[in-house]
Amino acid sequence: MTDRHGKVQTVTGLCDPAALGPTLMHEHLFIDLNPPAFRGDVLPEGVTDEEVDLCNCFRARYGQGHYTDNYRIEDFAVVRAEVEEMARAGGGAIVDLTVGGLGPRPLLLRQMAEETGVQIVMGAGHYVEEYQLAETAAMSVAELTGQMTGQLLDGAWGTDVKAGIIGEIGCQSPWTDREKKVMEAAVETQKATGAALNVHPGRAATQPQEVADFVQARGGRMDRLILSHIDRTIFDEDTLFRLADTGAIIEYDLFGWESSYYWPNPDIDLPNDALRIHWLRKLADRGHLDQILISHDVCTKGRLERFGGHGFQHIFANTVPLMLRRGFTQAEVDRILVETPARLLTLV
Ligand SMILES: [Zn+2]
């Protein structure tokens, strides 16, 4: 039997952590981000099934109306071209966190890895309650733990493709009981498999801390807990530094989304890449360099180059040079894009 410990489990099998190279830790190659209520034939007002093209991609991306087509990425050839662009720009690996409720496509991920040579790691588990499959309502923590552990050890979503990380596990503000049940199972799965745990926190500034405290109280490993989407959640040093002091990993994963208008929560002003880098510098200067991850969280068509967006290549082509111009050293960039991902994706 192959021992998975000390290795990274990609969709094509186990690999050496050094084989990853620069890694995007939070992306979606294939996804259906439409709320279940928007997936039927009858659409609510303000929701259109008009296809996204270069004439409406700004509106679709900005959130000027809901374009269901924008929230679905499923064309293999389009995604393959974007993954190849990423590889040309210097990327080596992608973590796809499309979990239950978001339309995971394990076999397409495996095909993508085989055809492009890019290492792909897939997530296990379930997204926020609104999206969760009906089955999670009746499942116990033990049953959910068994399901998620199976996704890592045997294969996920009816296939033999194995996940290599847990998450993104979805939470909201306020955090629902069903989501807490899934999180409890995710912590148990972490203990059983040695995988890292990625969390999509709710949008209240205190929610990442609430998750960190919950995981810590149940004996989860804080140095293997990744809190996603901090760029849309925390806007003050006290809240950010308190969270960093737990040892959890802080992920700024909306790089390339440069509109201040954030349609999922219009009450906040989304930072641009320059401000994201400013926050990364503050964390690094306080000694948290090894707790930082960056990614794009591509989850809509409008963020792909084919539809006028930045694509998976953006961080390597544009963000890294900007970080270097703003005082990061190449060694620091490598810690964020190479060493920390390799450490987290290694099964312990
Ligand atoms: Zn995501």
Side-chain angles (χ1 to χ4, degrees), residues 26 28 97 168 229 297:
H26 190 141
H28 302 274
L97 296 178
E168 55 183 304
H229 316 323
D297 190 17

Side-chain angles (χ1 to χ4, degrees), residues 46-57:
V47 179
T48 173
D49 57 5
E50 199 181 306
E51 282 188 11
V52 177
D53 58 25
L54 287 177
C55 295
N56 62 19
C57 68

Side-chain angles (χ1 to χ4, degrees), residues 8 29 74 176 203 279 284 308 346:
V8 173
L29 298 186
E74 54 192 354
T176 74
R203 295 191 175 88
W279 282 109
T346 300

Side-chain angles (χ1 to χ4, degrees), residues 26-28 31 97 102 127 168 200 228-229 253 297-299:
H26 190 141
E27 303 294 340
H28 302 274
I31 189 168
L97 296 178
L102 296 174
Y127 195 50
E168 55 183 304
H200 163 108
S228 288
H229 316 323
D253 51 22
D297 190 17
V298 166
C299 53

